[in-house]
Amino acid sequence: MVSLGSMKDNQVLLAFSTYATIVVVKMMLMSLWTSYFRLTRKVFANLEDTKLFSSTVDKKLVGVNPDVERVRRCHQNDLENVIPFVLIGLLYALTGPELSTALLHFRLFAGSRIFHTIAYVGALPQPSRGLGFFVGFGVTLSMAWTVFRTAFTH
Amino acid sequence: MVSLGSMKDNQVLLAFSTYATIVVVKMMLMSLWTSYFRLTRKVFANLEDTKLFSSTVDKKLVGVNPDVERVRRCHQNDLENVIPFVLIGLLYALTGPELSTALLHFRLFAGSRIFHTIAYVGALPQPSRGLGFFVGFGVTLSMAWTVFRTAFTH
Amino acid sequence: MVSLGSMKDNQVLLAFSTYATIVVVKMMLMSLWTSYFRLTRKVFANLEDTKLFSSTVDKKLVGVNPDVERVRRCHQNDLENVIPFVLIGLLYALTGPELSTALLHFRLFAGSRIFHTIAYVGALPQPSRGLGFFVGFGVTLSMAWTVFRTAFTH
């Protein structure tokens, strides 16, 4: 039986908090990476942002750049995968899994998403990125299955 | 008064876990649906993915396809609606609602989003998709209202 | 020591619930804002939606409009920042912070995101929007840091 009474007394919840925060912060850093590429490639999404580089607003600085779009696709893939992990992972942590099993799930997910980011932004040959994606996807489905099983047997 | 001490002792939280996991897994499946359309329509977002179909990377396989874009818009709409449901729904479950009222909310949401997906990907005539959207939107707002009322009266 | 046993007995969790719900509902309203601009500018993303304005489906009504795209970019920025705030904020609330410290975080975030929306949709000159973004970003990182510190010292 699991208690969420205090995070400090629940090893699985403490472990979940650590890994969930790691992957969410990693996801947030994609925003800064996009900004960095926008500034160095001088390609903006909003007219008012171009004033950072010219005395007047400059329509030529609004556009699409392949490096920026690649980081944005990676960010979007994080939104589509990291958020489900955190939502289902919290419910999973409340089902009272073994700490070792839970740690395996959390570490595999965090590792696979960091690898996915490197493979995506570095444009590594496939199936590198696909592998990173499917390992993370599988971990979340495995936790979802445990949540279902717990809900239907109680 | 509601206890989150153990998911297994809390009927509302158990019900929430089930329906939240259903809609999140449904949302995740949109990724696979997109991949399926990318592979069968041979339209990719990344140059390195085209090697799956030709011996060298092939710029002609990078582009936009209406079927792929439709599934992606549906996926995006899920991100914009399913995630708020899960976030607000968890807080709602902690306010200690009646099980029957909570189940009505959760089932209506899950049903409306499954209908929304069918209406979107199947391009059913409006207002089918609009109806699916607004029922789900209303359910989340109704739960948000309960959270506010609980917070302001305690 | 913090108890999530009952939301009603936990001041930090009550405060978190209020502010998390405010920013999530604000994010959801971006959907309606997009719809409003699509209807008034008569620019749709789906062919079947054009029937709302003509007796037959009309390809000319499918396209891109700068007002619509601006609201959509603002909505996307919310997804990228509001959801991490709620996910990390819940874990932060469970670490047992001082109510005054927690309230400072929650209020600063909610205020910065409302300002960010006004700056974005109103196309205010930079660094207005950048300021709104970075204050919210910093609040979430500060809460993430507290979660890490709690996890590593227990």
Side-chain angles (χ1 to χ4, degrees):
Chain A
M1 202 153 92
V2 161
S3 169
L4 191 59
S6 164
M7 185 193 276
K8 295 162 190 172
D9 298 336
N10 184 335
Q11 288 300 314
V12 172
L13 195 63
L14 269 179
F16 172 71
S17 299
T18 309
Y19 287 99
T21 305
I22 287 172
V23 289
V24 171
V25 168
K26 189 220 81 60
M27 180 173 80
M28 291 173 68
L29 294 181
M30 303 309 289
S31 290
L32 302 190
W33 210 344
T34 302
S35 299
Y36 171 76
F37 274 165
R38 286 205 184 281
L39 289 168
T40 52
R41 272 64 171 170
K42 295 184 186 160
V43 178
F44 299 94
N46 298 289
L47 205 55
E48 66 268 25
D49 302 353
T50 61
K51 263 209 142 175
L52 294 161
F53 276 98
S54 69
S55 49
T56 54
V57 293
D58 184 349
K59 282 195 177 182
K60 281 177 291 179
L61 294 178
V62 176
V64 168
N65 172 280
D67 294 336
V68 172
E69 294 309 308
R70 183 173 281 278
V71 176
R72 289 184 64 219
R73 284 196 301 274
C74 184
H75 195 173
Q76 182 71 14
N77 199 283
D78 270 354
L79 289 173
E80 293 168 6
N81 289 281
V82 169
I83 298 166
F85 166 80
V86 179
L87 298 176
I88 291 180
L90 179 65
L91 300 174
Y92 168 77
L94 297 178
T95 65
E98 287 286 321
L99 180 59
S100 58
T101 315
L103 275 175
L104 182 69
H105 281 83
F106 302 158
R107 285 175 181 163
L108 213 51
F109 185 87
S112 75
R113 293 309 299 185
I114 291 167
F115 177 73
H116 178 271
T117 305
I118 296 167
Y120 212 143
V121 181
L124 301 191
Q126 285 283 28
S128 321
R129 197 184 87 230
L131 190 75
F133 172 82
F134 277 111
V135 170
F137 201 84
V139 167
T140 306
L141 286 189
S142 164
M143 299 193 306
W145 175 245
T146 304
V147 173
F148 276 135
R149 226 178 33 199
T150 306
F152 286 128
T153 54
H154 285 88
Chain B
M1 202 152 89
V2 162
S3 168
L4 191 59
S6 164
M7 186 194 273
K8 296 162 189 173
D9 297 336
N10 184 335
Q11 289 300 314
V12 172
L13 195 63
L14 269 178
F16 172 71
S17 298
T18 310
Y19 288 98
T21 305
I22 287 172
V23 290
V24 172
V25 168
K26 189 221 80 61
M27 179 172 80
M28 290 173 68
L29 294 180
M30 305 308 289
S31 289
L32 302 189
W33 210 344
T34 301
S35 299
Y36 171 76
F37 274 165
R38 285 206 184 281
L39 289 169
T40 53
R41 272 65 171 168
K42 294 182 186 162
V43 179
F44 299 94
N46 298 290
L47 204 56
E48 66 269 26
D49 303 353
T50 62
K51 264 210 142 175
L52 294 161
F53 277 97
S54 70
S55 49
T56 52
V57 294
D58 184 350
K59 281 194 177 181
K60 281 177 290 181
L61 294 178
V62 176
V64 168
N65 172 280
D67 294 336
V68 172
E69 295 309 307
R70 184 172 281 275
V71 177
R72 289 184 65 217
R73 285 197 300 275
C74 184
H75 195 173
Q76 182 71 15
N77 198 283
D78 271 354
L79 290 173
E80 293 167 6
N81 290 280
V82 169
I83 297 167
F85 165 80
V86 179
L87 298 176
I88 290 179
L90 179 65
L91 301 173
Y92 168 76
L94 298 178
T95 65
E98 287 287 320
L99 179 60
S100 59
T101 315
L103 275 175
L104 183 68
H105 281 81
F106 302 158
R107 286 175 181 163
L108 213 52
F109 185 87
S112 75
R113 293 308 300 184
I114 290 167
F115 178 74
H116 179 270
T117 304
I118 296 167
Y120 212 144
V121 181
L124 300 191
Q126 286 284 26
S128 322
R129 197 183 87 229
L131 190 75
F133 172 82
F134 277 112
V135 170
F137 201 85
V139 167
T140 306
L141 286 189
S142 165
M143 299 192 306
W145 175 245
T146 305
V147 173
F148 277 134
R149 227 179 32 201
T150 306
F152 286 127
T153 55
H154 284 87
Chain C
M1 204 153 90
V2 161
S3 169
L4 191 58
S6 163
M7 185 193 275
K8 296 161 189 173
D9 297 335
N10 184 335
Q11 289 300 312
V12 172
L13 194 63
L14 270 178
F16 171 71
S17 298
T18 310
Y19 288 99
T21 305
I22 287 172
V23 289
V24 172
V25 169
K26 189 221 79 63
M27 180 173 80
M28 290 173 67
L29 294 180
M30 304 309 289
S31 290
L32 302 188
W33 209 344
T34 302
S35 299
Y36 170 77
F37 273 165
R38 284 205 184 281
L39 290 167
T40 52
R41 272 64 170 170
K42 295 184 187 161
V43 178
F44 299 94
N46 298 290
L47 204 56
E48 67 268 27
D49 302 353
T50 61
K51 263 209 140 175
L52 294 162
F53 276 97
S54 70
S55 50
T56 53
V57 293
D58 185 348
K59 282 195 177 182
K60 280 177 291 181
L61 295 177
V62 176
V64 168
N65 172 280
D67 294 335
V68 173
E69 294 309 307
R70 184 173 280 278
V71 177
R72 290 184 64 216
R73 284 196 300 274
C74 184
H75 194 174
Q76 181 71 15
N77 199 283
D78 271 354
L79 290 173
E80 293 167 7
N81 290 280
V82 170
I83 297 167
F85 165 80
V86 179
L87 298 177
I88 290 179
L90 179 65
L91 301 174
Y92 168 77
L94 297 178
T95 64
E98 287 287 319
L99 179 60
S100 58
T101 315
L103 275 175
L104 183 68
H105 281 82
F106 302 158
R107 285 176 180 162
L108 212 51
F109 185 87
S112 75
R113 293 308 300 184
I114 290 167
F115 178 74
H116 178 270
T117 304
I118 295 167
Y120 211 144
V121 181
L124 301 190
Q126 285 283 26
S128 321
R129 197 184 85 230
L131 190 75
F133 171 83
F134 277 112
V135 170
F137 201 85
V139 168
T140 305
L141 285 189
S142 164
M143 297 193 306
W145 175 246
T146 305
V147 173
F148 277 134
R149 227 179 33 201
T150 307
F152 286 128
T153 55
H154 284 87

